[in-house]
Amino acid sequence: MSLSAFAGGGRVNSRRKFLRDVLAFLVSGSAIGGVFQILPAKVLAKEAPRKGKWYGFGVSVDKCIGCTRCVEACKTETDVPREPFFTRTWVERYIIKRNGDAIVNTVETKPEGVPDSAADRSILRSFFVPKLCNQCADPPCVQVCPVGATFQTDDGVVLVNSKTCIGCRYCIQACPYGARYLHPRTHTADKCTFCYHRVSQNLLPACVEVCPTQARIFGDLNSVASPLARFRRMNKIHVLKPGLNTEPKVYYASLDGEVR
Amino acid sequence: MTNELYKSLYELLPQITGFIYPNEIEIHWGILVVVYPYLTGIVAGAFILASLVKVFNVKEVQPLYRLSLLTALSYLLVAPLPLLSHLGHPERSFEIFLTPQTSSAMAMFGFVYAWYLMAVLLLEIWFVYRTDLIHWAEGETGAMKWIHKGLALFSTDKSEGALAFDSKALKTITIVGIPSAFLLHGYVGFIFGSVKANPWWSSVLIPIVFLFSAIVSGVALVIFFYMVITPLTGGKINMKCVDKAVDFLFYAVIVDFSLEFVDFIHRIYQSEEEIKILSEMVMSKLFMSLVVIQVMLGMLLPLGIISITKIFKKRFSLNEDLRKMFYFISVLLIQFGIFSTRWNVVIGGQMFSKSFRGLTTYKMEFGGLEGLLYAFVLLLLPLVILAVLLKILPPWKEMREEGKGLNGETTGGLPAPGA
Ligand code: SF4
Ligand code: SF4
């Protein structure tokens, strides 16, 4: 079920480039007008630029203990409402039974939400999966935003400009990962920003900083020396919903096939 | 306000089944977004009915021509309101015109809408009514005279050349208008059909299904209006016209039904990973609105009723009142059916989690901008606008024209507006 995000890297890339060229030719040649010439570049995948930074995120599923400190830190850092209906990041808990059934829930930020499963013999395995905006290289939310309020920075982070967002919520519908919500106070779309305000000051995202087990890793994909690059070298990596071709930049190690 | 939102969301929590992503509890596109494609659908459908008369020269439905144009206009005027009201920041909506993101289907809304309103509907109506407006203004006094004069843009040319130009212009506009009507509603379908994250919406068939259901709803509504308005204004319903229009409606419903059926079969046959949760949703949360109202009451039953009038043609051609009643029931049922089609697409698409593991629930509010009451207002507003339009631009002449001779009714000359 889960496919490697990097299968046959080189060949895929050249094929993609070929397709893009063909499409660009067709579109520009069909005299639809200047507007549509912009489309191929936007619609097709954006690859990491050779120069500059290109941010990504790593999650080590094996290491996460479901303490939800990351969720708390995120809510505090970025003014996300305390209520459970709005969140930039959350932690899912999976319990896989011997008969193959999977029980999934979101770990509440209060500790009583986690029952003891060690004693239950019907359980095959259980684990936690932190989730956040996948900061796709080819983000559908950017594509659909009618006013360009959702945009991608040069370093690959998808942000929302709350001054121009009209609150139409098309981006929320377009996100396959449920990573977006409408902020109840600002009435604009909101989501994880990789803590852009911290990252641009050379600090780590709040969730990465507080994680006691280093289950969360942040870094520049273009830098060979970054912890993220090392994380990707040392682990078998998966991304979520690879079939949708959104090219997520949140990379999971030891991801279970049950996780969507 | 935020506290109310929290409260209503807490109330939803117990109704969630399975696992959904935490941001998915709130359904973001509510009743207003259901109303929007319903309204635009009527616009497109009514316009296509009008085009039948103009382009394909279907003489029998001539009495519906002007009525369909006015219906299309009154619904088009209201169509953007539900969208506007549901924005988090309606005051910024003009940004869609100023800084549209060309990659976004929704950004094209303003342009498609403006094109259709300005370049198609208003223009066509103006050319249709121009000579009448001049005529009416001549025989009137007071405010109405000035309204009609103004609407004719103070043109007074009734020469043969001008008339010839009018009819040529009309032909051209209609020919441009048909693809535009297709564009208008196909585009609304595209807004949904292109969301790849949502397997309930993401289908190339959606724009086409939207189109045909649009034709169905528009035609049914114009027939309904015709059957209600004609007796109210002292006219007699021209059954030849209604028969023909219902014929057309019948085939449109069949095409619409087949398309939806193909879509359904296709999903089941492909049986991708989301099929489990989708069928669970259809069988539990959407059973009433999809299976019962949309398919059984809104499609199969009216199809059956109309078929009966066709099969027992002889008996029904003798009893006009019975036929009328059958038609009347059918167009009403179809209207409910299409509204629930919109409901099932829009709301259904948000009830299942994109984790494919659970279902959330939509609780409609009564008051407030996203509530039922306001949706009702939006659904009734076109009727008010239509009433005003009928007063200013009465289509009675058209509506009775064919009735002449057939029902022994004569209307003789141009009736005064509002007659
Ligand atoms: S809600 Fe805001 S950010 Fe999202 S698509 Fe609409 S305008 Fe863009
Ligand atoms: S802080 Fe780290 S260990 Fe705790 S839930 Fe978050 S990712 Fe898992």
Side-chain angles (χ1 to χ4, degrees), chain A residues 10-231:
Chain A
R11 267 188 47 228
V12 169
N13 279 343
S14 64
R15 200 183 314 145
R16 189 181 301 139
K17 186 175 175 312
F18 170 73
L19 282 175
R20 177 188 305 177
D21 289 349
V22 170
L23 195 69
F25 172 77
L26 284 178
V27 172
S28 58
S30 60
I32 300 174
V35 184
F36 287 88
Q37 290 188 8
I38 315 164
L39 279 178
K42 279 208 171 138
V43 171
L44 294 178
K46 189 166 177 176
E47 281 152 39
R50 297 257 172 271
K51 273 193 225 117
K53 293 190 158 134
W54 190 245
Y55 291 123
F57 206 96
V59 176
S60 195
V61 174
D62 274 351
K63 289 190 180 163
C64 177
I65 52 171
C67 66
T68 68
R69 280 191 206 181
C70 49
V71 181
E72 292 279 2
C74 174
K75 290 213 174 200
T76 311
E77 179 74 27
T78 58
D79 193 29
V80 176
R82 286 277 143 192
E83 270 62 26
F85 322 107
F86 314 92
T87 184
R88 288 185 176 195
T89 183
W90 66 96
V91 179
E92 290 169 8
R93 174 168 185 258
Y94 285 73
I95 297 172
I96 315 289
K97 296 282 190 126
R98 281 191 195 280
N99 63 7
D101 288 352
I103 300 168
V104 190
N105 51 34
T106 311
V107 182
E108 302 283 332
T109 34
K110 293 178 217 93
E112 59 265 26
V114 189
D116 177 22
S117 57
D120 191 339
R121 309 208 85 214
S122 71
I123 293 173
L124 190 62
R125 59 184 190 277
S126 83
F127 51 90
F128 297 98
V129 182
K131 291 268 187 92
L132 65 160
C133 166
N134 278 275
Q135 302 286 0
C136 313
D138 195 2
C141 56
V142 172
Q143 184 191 0
V144 302
C145 177
V147 293
T150 293
F151 63 100
Q152 192 174 36
T153 62
D154 288 339
D155 33 24
V157 181
V158 177
L159 300 176
V160 187
N161 182 346
S162 64
K163 298 231 160 54
T164 53
C165 168
I166 59 173
C168 68
R169 309 171 215 195
Y170 201 15
C171 55
I172 301 176
Q173 307 289 6
C175 173
Y177 306 101
R180 286 176 162 253
Y181 65 94
L182 195 83
H183 199 289
R185 281 194 302 276
T186 62
H187 301 289
T188 54
D190 193 39
K191 64 183 271 298
C192 159
T193 59
F194 272 177
C195 277
Y196 204 63
H197 58 290
R198 293 174 59 94
V199 169
S200 46
Q201 308 283 320
N202 277 328
L203 295 169
L204 285 173
C207 61
V208 177
E209 197 158 271
V210 299
C211 178
T213 63
Q214 275 144 41
R216 291 174 174 247
I217 300 117
F218 179 81
D220 176 10
L221 290 163
N222 275 351
S223 142
V224 197
S226 80
L228 182 62
R230 188 187 138 79
F231 168 77

Side-chain angles (χ1 to χ4, degrees), chain B residues 62-375:
Chain B
Q62 180 74 31
L64 300 182
Y65 176 59
R66 292 185 176 198
L67 182 62
S68 350
L69 286 181
L70 297 183
T71 306
L73 180 60
S74 38
Y75 277 84
L76 189 66
L77 289 177
V78 182
L81 285 185
L83 282 192
L84 200 65
S85 326
H86 123 283
L87 292 182
H89 282 276
E91 80 284 0
R92 294 179 191 160
S93 58
F94 64 93
E95 295 272 358
I96 283 199
F97 287 98
L98 300 184
T99 53
Q101 171 129 318
T102 46
S103 64
S104 165
M106 196 183 274
M108 297 298 117
F109 167 77
F111 300 101
V112 173
Y113 180 84
W115 163 261
Y116 194 75
L117 179 69
M118 309 291 191
V120 177
L121 256 188
L122 285 181
L123 217 55
E124 171 147 357
I125 292 177
W126 190 76
F127 275 111
V128 168
Y129 277 97
R130 198 186 66 91
T131 33
D132 286 344
L133 286 169
I134 299 170
H135 232 91
W136 290 333
E138 281 170 356
E140 286 168 338
T141 50
M144 216 44 164
K145 182 187 181 86
W146 288 103
I147 291 178
H148 284 147
K149 259 196 161 168
L151 286 179
L153 302 178
F154 298 96
S155 72
T156 49
D157 193 354
K158 289 194 287 183
S159 66
E160 219 146 88
L163 292 186
F165 181 80
D166 282 358
S167 87
K168 207 180 267 164
L170 272 179
K171 264 256 151 67
T172 319
I173 298 165
T174 320
I175 289 170
V176 178
I178 294 177
S180 304
F182 276 49
L183 178 75
L184 179 70
H185 210 59
Y187 151 81
V188 176
F190 187 82
I191 287 191
F192 293 96
S194 59
V195 178
K196 68 176 167 185
N198 188 322
W200 184 245
W201 291 342
S202 165
S203 151
V204 276
L205 269 181
I206 285 246
I208 307 170
V209 169
F210 262 55
L211 244 171
F212 274 89
S213 51
I215 296 178
V216 168
S217 68
V219 175
L221 194 69
V222 174
I223 297 174
F224 174 77
F225 283 159
Y226 177 72
M227 291 177 84
V228 172
I229 294 171
T230 315
L232 280 183
T233 58
K236 193 160 185 299
I237 294 173
N238 176 348
M239 280 314 277
K240 244 194 180 166
C241 160
V242 179
D243 280 337
K244 190 77 191 175
V246 168
D247 242 17
F248 184 55
L249 177 66
F250 181 70
Y251 295 119
V253 176
I254 290 184
V255 175
D256 184 29
F257 180 70
S258 324
L259 283 172
E260 282 179 35
F261 192 66
V262 169
D263 191 37
F264 175 72
I265 294 292
H266 183 232
R267 281 169 196 276
I268 301 217
Y269 196 80
Q270 273 202 328
S271 193
E272 293 182 22
E273 65 176 330
E274 70 275 3
I275 192 75
K276 260 198 200 143
I277 192 72
L278 291 187
S279 43
E280 198 182 318
M281 174 176 79
V282 170
M283 292 324 280
S284 60
K285 309 242 171 193
L286 290 186
F287 189 79
M288 194 61 199
S289 60
L290 198 146
V291 181
V292 179
I293 302 183
Q294 180 185 332
V295 178
M296 301 223 257
L297 293 180
M299 268 181 188
L300 297 178
L301 186 60
L303 271 182
I305 296 179
I306 301 174
S307 307
I308 289 177
T309 64
K310 282 181 175 303
I311 295 166
F312 302 103
K313 222 177 181 162
K314 267 231 175 86
R315 192 161 308 159
F316 276 97
S317 62
L318 295 178
N319 194 340
E320 233 172 48
D321 280 338
L322 193 63
R323 195 154 96 240
K324 248 185 244 169
M325 196 186 77
F326 270 42
Y327 287 165
F328 197 78
I329 294 172
S330 311
V331 292
L332 265 182
L333 284 175
I334 286 175
Q335 224 40 252
F336 283 113
I338 298 291
F339 189 81
S340 42
T341 308
R342 308 291 181 236
W343 173 277
N344 294 326
V345 171
V346 176
I347 303 294
Q350 301 168 78
M351 286 229 249
F352 69 93
S353 166
K354 285 169 187 160
S355 71
F356 304 149
R357 287 184 186 279
L359 299 169
T360 178
T361 255
Y362 176 54
K363 193 170 133 262
M364 203 175 359
E365 282 161 44
F366 182 74
L369 260 189
E370 299 269 344
L372 184 65
L373 198 65
Y374 184 58

